[in-house]
Amino acid sequence: MEELQNVVRDGGLAVSNLPEKGRCLLTTKNFHPGEVILRQEPYVCVPNNSSTVSRCDGCFASENLKKCSACQVVWYCGSTCQKSEWKLHRLECSALSRLEKEKRKAVTPSIRLMVRLYLRRELQNEMFIPTGVTDSYNFVESLVSHLKELDEKQLVLYAQMANLVHLILQWPEINLKEIAENFSKLACNAHTICDCELRPVGTGLYPIVSIINHSCLPNAVLIFEGKSSVVRAVEHIPEGAEVSIAYIDTAGSTMTRQKALKEQYFFTCTCTRCIKVGQHDDIQENAILEGYRCKDDRCNGFLLRDSEDKGFTCQTCGLLRSKEEVKRIVCEITAISDKKLKSTSPGNHKEVISIYKMIEKLQMELCHPFSISLMRTQEELLKILMELGDWREALAYCRLTITGYQRVYPELHPLLGLQYYTCGKIEWLLGYTEDAIKSLTRAVDILRITHGTNSPFMKELVMKLDEAHAEASYNLSSKDE
């Protein structure tokens, strides 16, 4: 612990044990918005390969891949990535190659992550690869597993996964209970690796990052540059303050967030948002995000269950909405979602759009305009419309989602910045240059804080903004002539 403390202290951080929080990360200097607090490589990581998507083990690229000829499980984009991964994959490849072909299909990313965890420990023990204070299996051993808090179904699943790992490694000295416990540790401490647009591409274990506690209103954000994890401040963090990131999507109500955190991470959040649970502002926010709208279209009030349990009463105009009406619309939405979306033909975008618009219409009748479920439906419509190239309607939905994002996310949230970026690209494509400049400028203002300024992604964004400015200047000069 003392060695670890010295390493992170040199970077302006300190590991501390607080009675109410356990191990956490504190600052030993001031950090400003956009400043890198921590950068770390994974102890182990794997791409999220599936039957439909494959990624390079070295860089997570998804194009021009070739499968490892021996194990037939791992993919590479070229010799550079293959060589960089060879020390670890040499052992993994030998172990996977011993499996029957059918059993290899059961080797999921989670199984591979565990296999690589043990193989890395073996290579470090035999000194084939170096061991550092923040790059040691000792750190994995110190992680909390929450094994005693798991239900029987989850324990059985981990036991089955442990059996497969044991079969792959064939190391008699490792017992199944230890492997199952490590699966529980990874479930609570590993991180989803995302690309620059926050799309999941892999999973990795980052020892120091796993110390950082959660907040529903965090002062830092975790972004990935390739496989490297980067934690940046999104607000001024004074010396001696705790660094926090969000473990979950923080757009939901307090009850929804608390439920997600309890189920996956086994704790009750006491951040500045969550301690307001039950207070008037929190009740109002929950009713807006996940409740119902007033029957009067001219009223923008939120509804609460009435004292006689007859329905839901608007807190602005007092109009009652009956339980029967609410239940009817909810049942209609569920029926459409369950039956029609499942029965649509693959690739039939127009049919899917028609169904989502039916759902949207019912949600607009039932839900508050700032409802999370309505926002998610509009996100899906935006995605499909962009795939179809229906840019005008896509732009309308993109602007709708931005309004929703502004409500549910902090001002410097990467998802809000990315949505402005999408909006700016569509506006520019449609020839709305001035609007595009405004959207791209807003995207740069947010994403330079969350993503930094040196990544290829950010350089491309800034270049698009410069080109939009140049086009606007040219259009202005052409008018003058």
Side-chain angles (χ1 to χ4, degrees):
M1 179 72 178
E2 188 178 337
E3 286 180 88
L4 176 63
Q5 186 72 275
N6 291 336
V7 169
V8 294
R9 190 177 291 279
D10 290 342
L13 300 167
V15 178
S16 180
N17 273 299
L18 300 180
E20 69 279 11
K21 288 191 173 183
R23 203 157 52 168
C24 63
L25 208 60
L26 304 179
T27 60
T28 58
K29 68 170 193 174
N30 290 324
F31 284 95
H32 301 285
E35 192 173 352
V36 173
I37 298 171
L38 173 67
R39 188 185 294 270
Q40 189 177 34
E41 297 301 315
Y43 183 71
V44 283
C45 69
V46 290
N48 285 349
N49 289 345
S50 66
S51 57
T52 55
V53 179
S54 298
R55 294 187 180 277
C56 171
D57 241 49
C59 66
F60 289 5
S62 57
E63 296 177 351
N64 303 318
L65 303 180
K66 289 185 179 179
K67 191 181 281 187
C68 173
S69 57
C71 70
Q72 294 289 303
V73 173
V74 178
W75 297 80
Y76 294 107
C77 66
S79 58
T80 303
C81 282
Q82 189 173 18
K83 286 175 184 176
S84 70
E85 294 290 309
W86 179 240
K87 282 184 181 179
L88 191 56
H89 183 59
R90 179 176 59 84
L91 298 181
E92 180 188 31
C93 187
S94 176
L96 292 173
S97 298
R98 289 195 298 263
L99 281 181
E100 296 172 13
K101 193 171 182 180
E102 283 304 306
K103 279 196 168 63
R104 286 185 215 174
K105 293 178 182 177
V107 179
T108 62
S110 297
I111 297 294
R112 280 198 64 213
L113 192 67
M114 186 60 66
V115 169
R116 290 168 76 86
L117 184 75
Y118 281 105
L119 292 175
R120 187 171 180 87
R121 184 186 73 173
E122 183 72 9
L123 287 170
Q124 288 184 325
N125 287 344
E126 294 177 4
M127 298 185 180
F128 282 111
I129 56 176
T131 304
V133 177
T134 63
D135 187 32
S136 163
Y137 187 80
N138 292 338
F139 196 93
V140 179
E141 290 181 321
S142 70
L143 296 173
V144 178
S145 70
H146 295 288
L147 201 63
K148 292 179 181 178
E149 296 170 78
L150 298 178
D151 59 29
E152 187 178 350
K153 185 180 178 182
Q154 194 64 48
L155 288 170
V156 169
L157 177 61
Y158 285 159
Q160 291 170 341
M161 293 166 73
N163 264 310
L164 181 53
V165 171
H166 199 270
L167 177 67
I168 293 168
L169 291 173
Q170 296 183 14
W171 293 353
E173 68 272 18
I174 302 176
N175 64 65
L176 293 175
K177 185 180 177 182
E178 179 194 331
I179 301 172
E181 187 173 3
N182 276 339
F183 270 120
S184 188
K185 287 179 178 180
L186 290 179
C188 300
N189 294 283
H191 286 85
T192 300
I193 301 170
C194 296
D195 66 12
C196 54
E197 295 187 51
L198 304 190
R199 295 170 297 208
V201 294
T203 307
L205 180 62
Y206 298 83
I208 303 301
V209 177
S210 68
I211 295 175
I212 303 174
N213 282 323
H214 164 86
S215 172
C216 299
L217 197 62
N219 56 20
V221 64
L222 172 62
I223 296 292
F224 294 89
E225 295 175 3
K227 293 195 283 191
S228 302
S229 64
V230 184
V231 179
R232 285 188 177 86
V234 291
E235 62 183 54
H236 174 250
I237 307 176
E239 181 181 345
E242 183 184 0
V243 178
S244 60
I245 58 175
Y247 292 0
I248 59 169
D249 187 344
T250 57
S253 68
T254 303
M255 287 180 64
T256 299
R257 298 194 313 272
Q258 291 280 17
K259 184 174 182 287
L261 291 166
K262 194 71 175 175
E263 287 178 354
Q264 186 170 353
Y265 299 102
F266 305 99
F267 72 90
T268 301
C269 183
T270 56
C271 72
T272 52
R273 282 181 74 186
C274 289
I275 57 172
K276 294 178 182 178
V277 64
Q279 295 178 17
H280 178 269
D281 287 351
D282 181 65
I283 292 170
Q284 178 177 335
E285 186 70 4
N286 293 349
I288 288 171
L289 295 179
E290 296 176 7
Y292 310 120
R293 69 170 301 151
C294 182
K295 283 183 72 172
D296 186 346
D297 290 340
R298 296 166 298 177
C299 178
N300 214 21
F302 65 96
L303 277 59
L304 295 177
R305 190 181 293 274
D306 83 308
S307 56
E308 296 178 10
D309 200 28
K310 292 180 180 178
F312 302 86
T313 305
C314 177
Q315 302 303 294
T316 301
C317 70
L319 199 62
L320 179 74
R321 192 158 200 182
S322 70
K323 284 199 300 184
E324 290 73 21
E325 182 189 5
V326 168
K327 186 177 179 181
R328 175 184 60 79
I329 301 174
V330 168
C331 288
E332 283 186 58
I333 293 170
T334 304
I336 294 169
S337 302
D338 289 348
K339 292 180 183 178
K340 294 194 176 179
L341 279 176
K342 287 177 183 176
S343 63
T344 52
S345 317
N348 193 338
H349 290 101
K350 290 186 178 179
E351 188 182 356
V352 174
I353 285 174
S354 173
I355 292 167
Y356 270 118
K357 284 190 175 181
M358 288 168 65
I359 294 171
E360 180 194 27
K361 185 179 178 182
L362 288 167
Q363 287 176 332
M364 289 174 76
E365 183 184 344
L366 176 68
C367 304
H368 193 278
F370 289 117
S371 157
I372 295 289
S373 57
L374 176 59
M375 186 178 80
R376 298 302 181 212
T377 300
Q378 290 168 342
E379 285 174 340
E380 288 299 321
L381 280 163
L382 168 61
K383 180 182 172 184
I384 299 164
L385 288 163
M386 287 178 67
E387 287 174 2
L388 277 175
D390 188 343
W391 300 113
R392 291 191 187 281
E393 195 167 8
L395 178 58
Y397 276 102
C398 193
R399 287 171 173 172
L400 279 174
T401 57
I402 285 176
T403 303
Y405 281 26
Q406 288 171 327
R407 173 82 193 203
V408 299
Y409 293 122
E411 190 179 354
L412 291 174
H413 195 287
L415 284 174
L416 179 58
L418 288 168
Q419 209 69 350
Y420 272 116
Y421 188 15
T422 300
C423 192
K425 287 190 286 187
I426 298 173
E427 286 165 338
W428 194 15
L429 184 69
L430 291 170
Y432 306 143
T433 310
E434 294 298 331
D435 289 337
I437 289 171
K438 290 175 186 175
S439 296
L440 293 173
T441 300
R442 193 72 189 95
V444 169
D445 289 343
I446 296 170
L447 297 176
R448 67 182 175 83
I449 300 296
T450 61
H451 286 59
T453 56
N454 294 322
S455 66
F457 168 75
M458 281 305 297
K459 287 176 180 176
E460 182 184 341
L461 168 53
V462 172
M463 184 177 71
K464 282 191 189 308
L465 178 57
D466 290 342
E467 288 174 3
H469 275 298
E471 185 176 301
S473 298
Y474 174 78
N475 291 342
L476 187 64
S477 63
S478 297
K479 285 180 183 178
D480 292 341
E481 289 174 7

